[in-house]
Amino acid sequence: MSQLFSSVTAGGITAQDFLLCAAVSLLLGALIAFTYTRRTRYTQSFVLTLILLPLTVQTVIMLVNGNVGTGVAVAGAFSLVRFRSVPGNAKDIAVIFLAMAAGLACGSGYLAVAVLFTAIACTVLYLLVRFRVGLDRSGEKELHITIPETLDYTEIFDDVFARYTAHTELVEVKTASLGSLYKLHYRIRLKKDAEEKAFLDALRCRNGNLEVRCGRLQPTPEQL
């Protein structure tokens, strides 16, 4: 068992060792990318990055002749500089570090450790996404209503909200069309027995059949 978790490059790096580590890195990168795409919005460029990142980190570690400190510094410098300059979320940065850790283990020759670590991490990631851990389950929705400037938005919908919603919060008010329209942004939670269509129809009767939009609460964008 101890030999299984030993480094394949302990006696020096050969062409065979490099190709073996490169193959494992690509397979682990593909596994991480596949797991990331489950039930998640993604782009092709990010998926390709996740596949190639372990191989890139592994090559850097091998090039610095086993000096892990220098390897991590170099790999981190050029692999994260792009991701820190664009919008992203915490899940993306976690998966990036997962791919880097797999590449670091492969570059050091610990292939069994890399495989075991990636398998555990991908399994945990899939289960967390599959069972929607951390997802907002409050039932709140976003409601956008457009009204003409002649209506007083402070009280015009009070009785409709009282009939159909358990909670209502006015989040934002802004003008549109040179001030001839108001756009109201609410956070609402419908009553359990409330019919959403009847609720929207009641709002349309009050706002002159202008735009009414109701949808799932959007999470606040995160920046890396």
Side-chain angles (χ1 to χ4, degrees):
M1 181 64 70
S2 60
Q3 294 181 350
L4 181 63
F5 289 94
S6 60
S7 173
V8 298
T9 59
I13 300 174
T14 64
Q16 182 178 359
D17 293 336
F18 177 80
L19 292 177
L20 177 61
C21 292
V24 175
S25 295
L26 287 173
L27 289 176
L28 295 182
L31 176 60
I32 294 170
F34 176 79
T35 305
Y36 174 81
T37 59
R38 299 303 90 188
R39 299 173 179 265
T40 303
R41 294 181 181 178
Y42 59 91
T43 61
Q44 182 186 28
S45 61
F46 191 75
V47 172
L48 295 179
T49 299
L50 290 179
I51 295 175
L52 295 176
L53 188 56
L55 175 62
T56 304
V57 176
Q58 169 233 310
T59 303
V60 171
I61 294 299
M62 287 185 166
L63 288 176
V64 296
N65 296 322
N67 190 327
V68 178
T70 304
V72 171
V74 174
F78 69 75
S79 63
L80 290 181
V81 63
R82 173 61 181 165
F83 294 102
R84 291 185 60 85
S85 62
V86 296
N89 56 53
K91 181 181 177 183
D92 292 343
I93 194 65
V95 175
I96 291 171
F97 277 118
L98 169 59
M100 289 183 62
L104 175 60
C106 289
S108 301
Y110 297 100
L111 301 184
V113 174
V115 172
L116 183 59
F117 163 72
T118 304
I120 294 174
C122 288
T123 300
V124 172
L125 176 62
Y126 176 79
L127 292 176
L128 292 176
V129 175
R130 173 66 177 80
F131 293 103
R132 300 183 177 184
V133 176
L135 188 67
D136 181 18
R137 301 177 184 273
S138 64
E140 285 193 345
K141 294 187 176 184
E142 287 187 334
L143 176 66
H144 298 266
I145 307 175
T146 302
I147 64 172
E149 62 176 342
T150 55
L151 289 182
D152 182 7
Y153 60 83
T154 57
E155 298 179 354
I156 188 65
F157 301 115
D158 285 357
D159 59 328
V160 178
F161 288 144
R163 189 188 318 159
Y164 291 100
T165 66
H167 171 75
T168 304
E169 178 186 0
L170 180 60
V171 177
E172 182 184 34
V173 179
K174 66 178 182 179
T175 60
S177 299
L178 299 177
S180 61
L181 298 174
Y182 281 93
K183 292 185 177 290
L184 313 178
H185 175 200
Y186 293 90
R187 284 188 178 181
I188 65 170
R189 185 168 61 250
L190 294 173
K191 293 180 179 179
K192 291 184 179 181
D193 56 347
E195 296 183 5
E196 187 170 321
K197 183 180 183 303
F199 173 56
L200 297 180
D201 289 341
L203 294 175
R204 289 172 52 239
C205 292
R206 296 293 178 87
N207 77 334
N209 206 28
L210 294 175
E211 181 184 39
V212 177
R213 182 159 48 95
C214 184
R216 186 174 57 185
L217 188 65
Q218 297 297 318
T220 303
E222 299 172 345
Q223 299 292 329
L224 296 183

